[in-house]
Amino acid sequence: LHPAPNGIIALIDNNNEDLFVINDDVFTDKNIDQSIILQDKAKKIIWSKNEKKILYYNDFEITVFDTRTKEKNLITRYGEIIDQATWYNDEHILYQINNTVKIIEITHHEHKNDTSLSQLPEIKKVTIDNNGNNIYIKGSTGTQQGIYKLEIQ
């Protein structure tokens, strides 16, 4: 259960990776089907800072859903497993695939800038500081394990 203050609730069934985005009045509405805004597959969701958009991803796709316009925007699709994805800012998504940290722009255009930022032999976790100035990568290179800092300009 991932509620937002704008009257939208996002639900994920972790066993089946089923995502439901519904209006919060679903429990009082007699016609439940009218309250379902989005139904899709997702292993994780992340609300945008302004809580108007939902970033969600499954093993092969990253998608952004705008709760105001009810528009779904497929950001990228891969033939390899997407390990994690998160908002970098309102215009970019940071994600990890095959021990590579990448960033992609959020746009409706067919061709998006998709850039590799870092690659290590093993990446366990990627996070961003609150200011968006640094990316921290928990991983290893050879026998050296640690947290690596990547400064973004």
Side-chain angles (χ1 to χ4, degrees), residues 1 7 29 50 68 75 82 91 97-98 104 120 135-136:
L1 177 66
D29 193 354
N50 66 8
R68 296 165 298 179
I75 303 302
I82 299 166
E91 299 166 2
I97 189 167
N98 276 349
I104 190 167
L120 292 172
I135 297 172
Y136 296 94

Side-chain angles (χ1 to χ4, degrees), residues 26-71:
V26 68
F27 305 107
T28 58
D29 193 354
K30 292 184 181 194
N31 192 353
I32 293 175
D33 290 345
Q34 298 297 320
S35 295
I36 298 173
I37 300 168
L38 173 71
Q39 185 175 356
D40 210 338
K41 292 287 189 182
K43 62 182 179 182
K44 187 164 182 185
I45 69 162
I46 303 97
W47 286 94
S48 61
K49 285 186 181 182
N50 66 8
E51 298 181 327
K52 304 271 191 248
K53 294 181 181 180
I54 300 172
L55 160 68
Y56 65 95
Y57 64 97
N58 57 37
D59 284 340
F60 305 106
E61 297 177 339
I62 299 173
T63 306
V64 171
F65 179 72
D66 189 323
T67 61
R68 296 165 298 179
T69 64
K70 312 297 188 259
E71 188 174 303

